[in-house]
Amino acid sequence: MSWSDFMSDTVARIGRLQKETPDTMAGFNMMGKSAKTNGALSEKTKELIALGIAISTRCDSCIAFHVKSLVRLKTTREEFCEALAMIAYMGGGPSVAFSAKALEAFDEFTGGAPGKSV
């Protein structure tokens, strides 16, 4: 599976939903912007929390969006893997499997080279 192709398809589907439900999507986008604002916690920390929830709820689309955000925020592979270890610990076997998917997405979005930091 290509995470980049998956993201393109997901963004297109969400775009179609946004045309049908503009007020709902505007509210959702406003909530996301507010939640991600740097405060006592950095945006990167908040995105790592969101990734944990995405993995725990087994949401591939959420994993892709939050991995892309973590790449944009210059998360290193070491930081990313350390977060995956905690997520796997808290979520057990299913979180291990979805953590592996998230790592695959991270590697693709950073150029596909394991060990490469952003």
Side-chain angles (χ1 to χ4, degrees):
M1 168 175 132
S2 165
W3 285 93
S4 297
D5 291 345
F6 177 75
M7 278 291 290
S8 294
D9 292 344
T10 300
V11 168
R13 282 192 298 275
I14 291 172
R16 288 189 293 275
L17 177 62
Q18 188 165 4
K19 287 179 184 173
E20 298 295 328
T21 60
D23 293 340
T24 299
M25 294 304 294
F28 182 76
N29 290 333
M30 185 184 307
M31 184 172 57
K33 182 178 179 183
S34 176
K36 293 177 189 182
T37 300
N38 283 315
L41 297 176
S42 69
E43 183 182 1
K44 184 190 286 190
T45 298
K46 292 175 180 186
E47 286 293 347
L48 289 167
I49 292 167
L51 178 63
I53 294 166
I55 289 170
S56 297
T57 59
R58 296 156 187 72
C59 177
D60 285 339
S61 299
C62 301
I63 289 169
F65 279 112
H66 295 295
V67 169
K68 285 286 278 188
S69 291
L70 286 162
V71 168
R72 175 182 53 79
L73 294 166
K74 302 191 182 323
T75 305
T76 66
R77 194 168 196 277
E78 182 180 21
E79 290 172 317
F80 192 81
C81 288
E82 203 168 295
L84 292 179
M86 189 63 184
I87 294 164
Y89 163 66
M90 292 301 296
S95 289
V96 169
F98 277 78
S99 289
K101 285 180 139 185
L103 181 58
E104 180 183 77
F106 183 85
D107 286 342
E108 181 176 324
F109 294 149
T110 58
K116 178 181 178 183
S117 62
V118 181

